[in-house]
Amino acid sequence: MEEPVRPGPWQSFDAWAPDSSAFLYSEAEIDGSGAVASVSLLRYDVVTRSDRVVATPGRGGTWSADGSLIAYVTEATEERPCGEAGAEQACTAVLDVASGEEQYRFAGPPAFEVGEARLPEFLPDGRLLYITPEGNLGLADAVNSTVLHEGGANELGVSPDGRMLLIREVQRLLVVPIPEP
């Protein structure tokens, strides 16, 4: 009698480090029913050929332009809420690569879901684009956050100079200027 094949981990690539020395990927264990257990964000070091967990739960990792910070989506918990209200389901967190310490976090996106993550994304000036709990497009740094665009955006692209966003909505393209820091 043949033993059932045990599914392996689900993995997806998130982002290369700016100097190509490492990359971030998300990994989840899938049980026999196809359900996802926990999702982790990992950092793979190309030189040492080793990986380490950045965050559990964690997904959608991205690097700052200088490689000193990693932003990712994680779940809110009673011990680690995202905002003052504490009722959020998901957070965007920013981690210092050198120390491994979380620098700050804020509420959003609406839920922690496994799948393709478009955001968060660092701008060249270090600010972070993210999805708010309401599903809007937000811009934040360690101190301030603001809504750049209300409503859903299917895709977006940051201009090379970091001054404009091109947002694809259901039936139109929209250019949104990014305010100066």
Side-chain angles (χ1 to χ4, degrees):
M1 192 154 115
E2 239 179 83
E3 286 189 39
V5 175
R6 182 180 171 157
W10 162 88
Q11 296 175 328
S12 70
F13 170 78
D14 288 335
W16 277 100
D19 65 1
S20 301
S21 65
F23 62 86
L24 299 170
Y25 68 99
S26 299
E27 179 176 273
E29 288 296 324
I30 301 173
D31 68 19
S33 71
V36 175
S38 66
V39 180
S40 297
L41 178 66
L42 293 96
R43 176 182 185 245
Y44 182 84
D45 187 299
V46 176
V47 175
T48 64
R49 296 183 176 191
S50 62
D51 55 11
R52 69 176 180 84
V53 174
V54 173
T56 299
R59 70 159 179 82
T62 189
W63 300 82
S64 62
D66 65 3
S68 67
L69 300 172
I70 294 172
Y72 57 93
V73 175
T74 188
E75 286 181 322
T77 65
E78 193 173 307
E79 300 81 37
R80 297 280 304 163
C82 304
E84 294 177 16
E88 303 84 8
Q89 295 179 10
C91 309
T92 299
V94 176
L95 177 95
D96 178 72
V97 174
S99 70
E101 297 293 320
E102 187 177 296
Q103 300 299 295
Y104 59 94
R105 65 174 39 203
F106 47 87
F112 184 85
E113 296 173 355
V114 176
E116 295 301 317
R118 297 181 288 121
L119 294 175
E121 181 179 337
F122 282 101
L123 294 176
D125 64 17
R127 293 179 295 167
L128 194 63
L129 290 171
Y130 72 102
I131 301 294
T132 69
E134 299 78 28
N136 298 322
L137 180 61
L139 178 65
D141 60 23
V143 179
N144 301 306
S145 65
T146 186
V147 172
L148 285 183
H149 176 70
E150 291 184 3
N154 295 325
E155 290 180 38
L156 60 95
V158 178
S159 64
D161 63 5
R163 296 176 47 203
M164 293 177 284
L165 287 174
L166 181 63
I167 298 173
R168 181 177 69 84
E169 293 182 326
V170 176
Q171 295 185 0
R172 68 179 180 157
L173 293 175
L174 181 65
V175 176
V176 177
I178 298 172
E180 294 291 321

